[in-house]
Amino acid sequence: MKHYRINKLAKIAGVVVQRKDILARSDAEAVRHAADDVDCPICEVLRDGKKVGAIV
C-alpha cells in the first residue's frame, strides 16, 4: 500500500480547501477513490508530493 493525498481545490489550479490522506495499491486506484468521493468535484491526487492524477 502506498500513501496518497487528495487535495480538494476551490477551482482548477486554485487554493486547496481540504486535504485527505488515503492508502491505495496503485495510482489508478487512488484516482478512482477520488473520483468516487462525493466531496471531490475538483481534486488532485498526489504521491510523494508529485501529481499523479486529477478530477475536474
Side-chain angles (χ1 to χ4, degrees):
M1 299 294 261
K2 299 174 188 169
H3 175 261
Y4 291 88
R5 172 162 286 161
I6 299 173
N7 289 335
K8 178 181 175 187
L9 305 175
K11 61 181 182 175
I12 297 175
V15 178
V16 175
V17 177
Q18 180 181 11
R19 292 182 172 96
K20 183 186 291 187
D21 293 323
I22 64 165
L23 293 175
R25 292 188 174 107
S26 67
D27 295 351
E29 183 179 336
V31 172
R32 201 168 30 251
H33 185 282
D36 292 342
D37 191 346
V38 296
D39 194 37
C40 197
I42 301 173
C43 293
E44 62 184 5
V45 181
L46 306 167
R47 178 177 43 91
D48 297 329
K50 296 180 182 171
K51 187 174 173 182
V52 297
I55 308 300
V56 290

